Amino acid sequence: MAKSMTIALAGNPNSGKTTLFNALTGARHYVGNWPGVTVEKKEGKLTYKKHQFTAVDLPGTYSLSPYSIEEKIARNYIVNESPDVVVNIVDASNIERNLYLSMQLIELGKPVVIALNMMDVAERRGYKINHEKLSSLLGVPVVPIVATKKNGIDDLLDKVLDIINEKIIYEPKQVDYGKELEKKIEETIEMLKENPKASKYDLRWLALKVLEEDEEILDLLNLNTLNDEMAAAEEISLEDDIEALVADKKYNYITGILSKTVKKPTNYSLTTSDKIDKIVTNKWLGLPIFALIMYSVFYFTFDLVGNKFLDMIDIFFAETVSTWASNALETIGASEWLHSLIVDGIIGGVGGVLVFLPNIICLFLAISILEDSGYMARVAFIMDRAMRKIGLSGKAFIPMILGFGCNVPAIMGTRALEDEKDRLTAILVNPFMSCSARLPVYTLFAAAFFPKNEKIVVFSLYLLGIFVAIIMAFIFKKTLFKGETMPFVMELPPYKIPSIKGITVHVWERVKGFLIKAGTLIFGASMVLWFILGFNFSGPADLTESIGAYIGKIVAPIFAPLGFGNWAAALSLVTGILAKEVVVSNMSIIYGLAEDPSAAQFAVSLGQSFTQLTAYVFMVFVLLYTPCVGVIGVIKRETNSWKWTGFSILYQFVVAWLVAFLVFQIGTLFGF
């Protein structure tokens, strides 16, 4: 079989890069409209005209300067892995800004084909682009495409094959940086010819990076230790800010090319997105509109749709699955312990979590619509002012929004932040954002203790999570991570009506993760919980004499000042570190909810252990305390530090305890 060829997809955020990747490979990766959605390279396979390709979707970047992890991943892959062709996806409706990355890609010395995407959008805005002339002036193939409609994909792959098979001569034009700088580039190239580590790279690109004093490249070439060469590099770069000069020359070059290839509309008028933004990003209206929208999300999640289906699944597990399983076990003469394991342990534990699937689907559906419509990207802009006051830019709020779904990808999304201190701050506060795994806990307690007001209770918890995250970020920026606030630059995508296919894929990918967790982690946890709640070291035991009760009684005094110092609540919180949904599994098994998992039964069962106040305090603690093991693992990976991982585990527990204590004391003071 012929060797598989590799295509690297590189482009700006929101240029349609992942859409093209999905169109090429048939994958269904989430297509986001803000930085940080693609933070790791993804690979897919495709076959075209009997040729095998591996397509690699690189993180979206505005440049290849190593200021963020995304940029490093993209640049290092192209430089070190040497793909056969780099397909640079360029947003035709924002061609000038996108071509800056194109020029950097071309300078890397790898073959580049430009996919001029969103041609339909550009034409609707009145842009006329002569792509053939553009190709001639750049010296690289330029192919107009519309990735969402799969238009031009075959033409693009034909050009890729032509490059690989050398059917067309690849002779990219070079940016002229001016007489003085070109002389310095040549001198540096001559210097690099003596460096054995430079031989496998494009010397002109390396020379530019040396002149820009790119630390990663200087380390790569050992120029920090070779005194003579380093002195030569410093001598060359003393006079000017080379990096700014290079960027300026590139933009001048791009402007010159576009003046010959692009005709812009003469009459500019506000687009629909511009008109909407005048309202939703308004200085005074932005935050109230955001709060109203989030309240509407919870109204939809609970009152309007979610709870109606929740009742149906309640009945399904209580009256159908449990009854059928009991009858089947009795028919085959199963022992009492096996009956208890399956009905009380597995059905009670896993079913106790799955009954909240409708609420989770509704929440994912609402958030997906907000994300795909382009609104969520505006939230970062709206929050920029508030975030800037605490020393962070609005860009740091994007991972926090992603945390509403799951904190794991949200923490990975912090890679889009250029400043390491900002990134550490964003990582440490992200778990305060209420992920979907906590929703079953809220739904269970809110339905039991706050009937008819579930949406208000849950809404307040989400707001509390945001508030605590912002407060802690402020404290970190004033103590551990002092520094200047990075400027906030982010392209706001145009509003669009989300596609049914896109929303379906997005919701399904998230729901699938929840179902997989229910079928694996929660399934296993339910069996372990059943064992430790039904046995002690002498054998079968009453619930209050079980291993689980023993563990819970040891931990319970910690929570006594919070109003819920009973062993069942304590054990639930301990097991919740495995996964937050396990809190519900634990409660379901302890209170025998497999037979009647209704909110009314739950309220009766917990009536002697919780009041309305302590139920709310318990939810506050679940919102804020130590994250689950999945989040702990990603914090370790992203910080590469056990110190910060351990700090995250401990400080969140302390913050959760203090806030819950405060809520309990204030509630008691007001007689709740």
Side-chain angles (χ1 to χ4, degrees):
M1 177 180 287
K3 178 189 172 186
S4 177
M5 293 167 280
T6 304
I7 305 171
L9 305 183
N12 284 188
N14 204 35
S15 62
K17 185 172 50 59
T18 302
T19 303
L20 178 59
F21 177 80
N22 289 343
L24 288 172
T25 64
R28 295 185 299 178
H29 290 297
Y30 172 54
V31 178
N33 51 25
W34 52 34
V37 173
T38 306
V39 292
E40 289 186 317
K41 64 181 176 68
K42 300 169 184 170
E43 292 188 2
K45 304 287 185 183
L46 69 141
T47 302
Y48 181 71
K49 292 184 177 179
K50 299 182 180 179
H51 294 279
Q52 304 292 321
F53 293 93
T54 299
V56 181
D57 185 17
L58 298 173
T61 64
Y62 291 108
S63 75
L64 293 177
S65 301
Y67 293 131
S68 72
I69 293 177
E70 292 169 309
E71 291 173 337
K72 290 180 182 176
I73 290 173
R75 188 175 85 171
N76 291 343
Y77 178 82
I78 295 171
V79 170
N80 297 322
E81 302 298 326
S82 293
D84 294 289
V85 173
V86 177
V87 172
N88 171 216
I89 297 86
V90 168
D91 177 359
S93 62
N94 282 303
I95 189 168
E96 184 168 1
R97 175 177 50 69
N98 278 239
L99 280 183
Y100 183 78
L101 176 65
S102 306
M103 302 314 302
Q104 290 189 315
L105 289 169
I106 291 169
E107 284 181 338
L108 286 177
K110 312 296 180 186
V112 173
V113 175
I114 291 179
L116 204 55
N117 192 26
M118 303 187 201
M119 285 296 291
D120 53 343
V121 176
E123 289 171 0
R124 280 200 300 272
R125 292 181 181 177
Y127 287 83
K128 294 182 180 178
I129 302 174
N130 186 337
H131 70 273
E132 293 175 341
K133 192 170 184 179
L134 180 63
S135 173
S136 173
L137 293 175
L138 290 173
V140 302
V142 177
V143 183
I145 68 167
V146 181
T148 53
K149 300 175 182 175
K150 298 185 179 180
N151 293 345
I153 303 296
D154 287 352
D155 294 338
L156 178 66
L157 290 173
D158 284 337
K159 290 295 182 189
V160 169
L161 279 174
D162 287 345
I163 289 276
I164 293 174
N165 296 327
E166 299 180 349
K167 289 185 177 179
I168 56 178
I169 301 173
Y170 182 73
E171 291 181 338
K173 302 291 191 295
Q174 292 182 345
V175 177
D176 183 351
Y177 290 107
K179 184 178 178 181
E180 186 179 355
L181 185 52
E182 287 291 343
K183 181 183 176 186
K184 292 175 180 176
I185 292 171
E186 288 301 320
E187 291 171 352
T188 311
I189 289 174
E190 291 302 315
M191 178 193 75
L192 291 173
K193 286 179 180 176
E194 305 298 322
N195 190 318
K197 294 192 174 183
S199 58
K200 67 176 184 177
Y201 302 101
D202 184 276
L203 291 181
R204 181 178 171 84
W205 172 72
L206 270 188
L208 277 170
K209 294 296 112 182
V210 170
L211 291 171
E212 291 173 357
E213 299 184 24
D214 185 313
E215 291 185 3
E216 196 168 284
I217 297 300
L218 294 177
D219 288 341
L220 172 73
L221 300 173
N222 285 338
L223 289 185
N224 286 321
T225 56
L226 298 176
N227 293 334
D228 292 342
E229 292 179 342
M230 190 58 208
E234 288 180 353
E235 183 183 349
I236 288 168
S237 58
L238 273 178
E239 296 177 9
D240 303 299
D241 182 348
I242 300 292
E243 192 172 1
L245 186 60
V246 167
D248 186 54
K249 291 290 185 183
K250 274 195 177 75
Y251 273 115
N252 288 340
Y253 183 75
I254 292 168
T255 303
I257 288 178
L258 294 183
S259 66
K260 301 171 184 172
T261 55
V262 178
K263 288 185 179 179
K264 298 180 180 179
T266 53
N267 296 322
Y268 175 78
S269 59
L270 290 178
T271 64
T272 303
S273 291
D274 294 334
K275 293 173 183 173
I276 296 174
D277 278 340
K278 279 187 171 293
I279 300 172
V280 301
T281 63
N282 179 274
K283 179 179 178 181
W284 304 109
L285 297 177
L287 281 176
I289 290 175
F290 174 52
L292 182 62
I293 288 175
M294 290 309 295
Y295 179 81
S296 301
V297 167
F298 294 114
Y299 177 74
F300 172 75
T301 301
F302 293 98
D303 288 6
L304 192 62
V305 179
N307 285 356
K308 293 181 173 58
F309 289 97
L310 184 148
D311 293 338
M312 293 169 61
I313 296 185
D314 263 1
I315 295 171
F316 173 72
F317 276 104
E319 297 183 3
T320 305
V321 178
S322 291
T323 303
W324 178 86
S326 293
N327 293 338
L329 290 167
E330 287 176 7
T331 302
I332 64 174
S335 60
E336 187 176 339
W337 72 265
L338 183 60
H339 182 282
S340 175
L341 170 63
I342 294 176
V343 176
D344 299 331
I346 297 175
I347 297 177
V350 178
V353 173
L354 287 179
V355 296
F356 303 105
L357 185 60
N359 301 96
I360 289 174
I361 291 175
C362 288
L363 181 65
F364 284 157
L365 179 63
I367 291 179
S368 298
I369 291 172
L370 291 176
E371 288 178 351
D372 288 8
S373 67
Y375 176 73
M376 279 303 196
R378 269 74 183 176
V379 175
F381 178 80
I382 294 166
M383 291 299 296
D384 183 55
R385 189 176 293 109
M387 297 294 286
R388 195 165 291 280
K389 288 180 179 176
I390 63 171
L392 289 171
S393 78
K395 199 172 183 179
F397 198 71
I398 293 176
M400 294 170 70
I401 298 171
L402 293 173
F404 286 153
C406 177
N407 297 122
V408 171
I411 288 172
M412 294 173 67
T414 60
R415 295 178 181 184
L417 301 176
E418 294 84 357
D419 185 85
E420 190 60 23
K421 291 178 180 177
D422 285 359
R423 185 165 174 268
L424 263 176
T425 303
I427 288 173
L428 291 176
V429 304
N430 195 280
F432 290 130
M433 305 303 288
S434 191
C435 66
S436 60
R438 290 148 168 145
L439 193 63
V441 183
Y442 305 154
T443 307
L444 188 62
F445 275 79
F449 291 94
F450 304 94
K452 308 297 181 186
N453 292 308
E454 297 102 312
K455 59 183 178 300
I456 299 174
V457 169
V458 177
F459 180 53
S460 70
L461 291 167
Y462 274 73
L463 289 182
L464 179 64
I466 296 173
F467 177 75
V468 172
I470 290 176
I471 293 296
M472 290 311 303
F474 175 76
I475 293 172
F476 287 146
K477 289 297 291 184
K478 294 296 181 184
T479 54
L480 298 176
F481 307 124
K482 292 180 180 177
E484 294 295 323
T485 303
M486 294 291 287
F488 177 43
V489 179
M490 192 186 93
E491 179 189 358
L492 293 179
Y495 289 102
K496 66 177 183 180
I497 297 174
S499 70
I500 294 176
K501 181 182 176 183
I503 293 295
T504 303
V505 169
H506 196 180
V507 172
W508 168 241
E509 288 298 318
R510 290 175 168 181
V511 170
K512 186 172 70 174
F514 174 77
L515 293 176
I516 290 173
K517 190 192 286 186
T520 53
L521 188 63
I522 296 172
F523 180 85
S526 296
M527 294 182 70
V528 172
L529 287 170
W530 172 83
F531 176 77
I532 66 171
L533 290 169
F535 294 81
N536 60 24
F537 295 109
S538 301
D542 290 338
L543 187 65
T544 55
E545 301 297 326
S546 65
I547 297 172
Y550 180 73
I551 296 171
K553 288 172 184 175
I554 294 175
V555 182
I558 297 173
F559 304 110
L562 310 184
F564 51 84
N566 60 81
W567 71 264
L571 180 65
S572 298
L573 292 171
V574 171
T575 56
I577 294 176
L578 191 62
K580 295 306 180 211
E581 298 96 331
V582 178
V583 172
V584 173
S585 296
N586 196 59
M587 291 284 187
S588 298
I589 295 171
I590 291 175
Y591 295 103
L593 297 184
E595 296 177 357
D596 184 1
S598 66
Q601 178 58 36
F602 188 72
V604 171
S605 301
L606 285 182
Q608 294 183 343
S609 302
F610 287 90
T611 63
Q612 275 195 334
L613 174 60
T614 56
Y616 187 78
V617 173
F618 183 79
M619 287 188 282
V620 168
F621 193 85
V622 170
L623 162 71
L624 301 174
Y625 87 117
T626 305
C628 68
V629 291
V631 175
I632 292 172
V634 80
I635 290 175
K636 167 63 179 65
R637 192 175 73 181
E638 294 299 310
T639 61
N640 194 29
S641 163
W642 281 114
K643 182 186 77 174
W644 290 119
T645 305
F647 175 77
S648 175
I649 293 170
L650 292 176
Y651 105 90
Q652 280 191 237
F653 188 91
V654 172
V655 168
W657 196 95
L658 291 174
V659 175
F661 178 76
L662 191 63
V663 172
F664 180 63
Q665 293 302 320
I666 293 174
T668 303
L669 186 66
F670 284 93
F672 289 104

